[in-house]
Amino acid sequence: MNNEEIWQAALTDLEVSVSKANFVTWFQNTSIATRQSGTIVLCVPNAFVKEWLEYKYHKTIMKSLRTLCPETRIVEYIISSQLQPLLQKQRRERVFEQREGEEQMEFKELLVDRDTNLNPRYTFENFVVGSFNELAHAASIAVTNNPGRVYNPLFIYGGVGLGKTHLLQSVGNAVKKTNPKSKIQYLSAERFTSELVNSMQNNEAHLFKEKYRSFDLLIIDDIQFIAGKTKTQEEFFHTFNSLYEAGKQIIFSSDKPPQSIQNLEERLRSRFEGGMVADISQPEYESRLAILKNKAISKEPQPSEEIIEFIAANVQKNIRELEGALNAVVARTKLSGRVLSIPEVKDILAKNTQPKKMVTANQIIKAVAEFYGVNEKSLYEKTRKKEVVKPRQIAMYLLREDFNGSYPYIGQRFGGRDHTTAIHSFEKVSQDIKKNSQLYAEIKLIRERLYEYSVE
Ligand code: ADP
Ligand code: MG
């Protein structure tokens, strides 16, 4: 076997032990540069990839190469720009290819497919997987490989900017690719609602029905918007049933799990829960770093390792903000024509992001009321209705835990209740949260909405 064949065989082996997105991110444009007396030097496109392979995948790579060439003792990595002139020429060609690819990518932003509403920019290939989105990603892959058969519906939920739309559209794009004939439709729940209303106003409800029952794969983003819309929920229920019974795949995203969507018909809620429910949480440091590295590869000028790490450490809220911070830093570097210092980067982040704010009691109460879809005023009233009691107790809990309010203050804040009521609420929620993972998740989501990330 020559070097190329060896590396191809190794890649085939590596592909199964690494997730697809990571594989594409870290192994594309790699090759064997030299192989001599037990040492294999791998050529990699840039410093990020070099570090990542050394740090994360060295053992796996070593193992694959040893199976193929048992004499291998050492594996080293070299950035392609550090190879001799011949290899440099190849690199130039490769970089050129990448540039072209990049421009196409930007152009593609505008290219939302008219039939499906899918944006080709969202693919599994550029979706980074970490522990925060692993389950949602695995479920999406399963559904892509077997639409209508494994998890139906697939319900993905999580806070804003965490990759729900990206993941949902990746499924659509991947299914379209393997099966160009399949009828796919991506749309937001808001758009579904407005189309329905329009069709009814124009006496064309039958056309609407026909249209939505003809899809093989229906993807509805931000389904929480149908909360409280009775007519939409009813029509949607029938659409859902007819697609489901015909074995067609349905995928939803939402900012909260089905159980937490208020004003949702019970029969719909139980449909949403009938397949697979998977969450995407906030990415931890390692995942933020991987995402940034992945996105930085296509940036010019490429920010230094140190800067990337600084952004990953300081921008914690969501992936959209992470991308925004990276773009701001790259744009400023381009303008200034030199490498930025860490204090300068810090300055850019501070200007482009909101500092962690102290939340007020009002904001806490408002966020809780909004999350559970109850009227804020009802929290202050005497009512003991179940849908109000729970949010009220949670608001009291958060006022104590996050706002450090005294019990008499909290009691007072909720319609002049006694301080013992505040104590009881706080203790009840503190206990429940330990046993009830649903409640735990809800409070986590409320907090995610309440707090901005901090720049230190
Ligand atoms: P949501 O729909 O949850 O609000 P989006 O899907 O719009 O979030 O994601 C926000 C941005 O972050 C998009 O530009 C998306 O491409 C990017 N993004 C989200 N998750 C990932 C990921 N795991 N890997 C790479 N990019 C991601
Ligand atoms: Mg979205």
Side-chain angles (χ1 to χ4, degrees), residues 121 126-128 161-166 295 319-320 323:
R121 139 174 205 264
N126 58 22
F127 188 82
V128 178
L162 294 178
K164 301 182 298 293
T165 297
H166 190 140
K295 305 226 181 248
I319 298 167
R320 193 172 293 140
E323 273 188 323

Side-chain angles (χ1 to χ4, degrees), residues 60-118:
T60 329
I61 293 171
M62 189 75 161
K63 208 172 130 222
S64 300
L65 285 172
R66 274 221 176 118
T67 350
L68 298 157
C69 319
E71 75 282 3
T72 309
R73 279 176 299 109
I74 299 169
V75 174
E76 285 176 352
Y77 306 83
I78 186 167
I79 301 165
S80 49
S81 61
Q82 291 162 356
L83 279 175
Q84 19 353 27
L86 175 72
L87 284 172
Q88 275 198 3
K89 183 177 159 282
Q90 289 176 354
R91 180 183 73 96
R92 247 176 263 131
E93 285 162 8
R94 204 179 297 138
V95 169
F96 180 67
E97 276 168 21
Q98 274 182 0
R99 287 258 163 77
E100 268 191 351
E102 232 175 75
E103 273 159 26
Q104 268 176 4
M105 196 69 163
E106 279 163 25
F107 180 58
K108 272 185 184 170
E109 294 262 349
L110 309 167
L111 267 178
V112 171
D113 185 296
R114 279 179 170 209
D115 287 336
T116 61
N117 293 326
L118 289 167

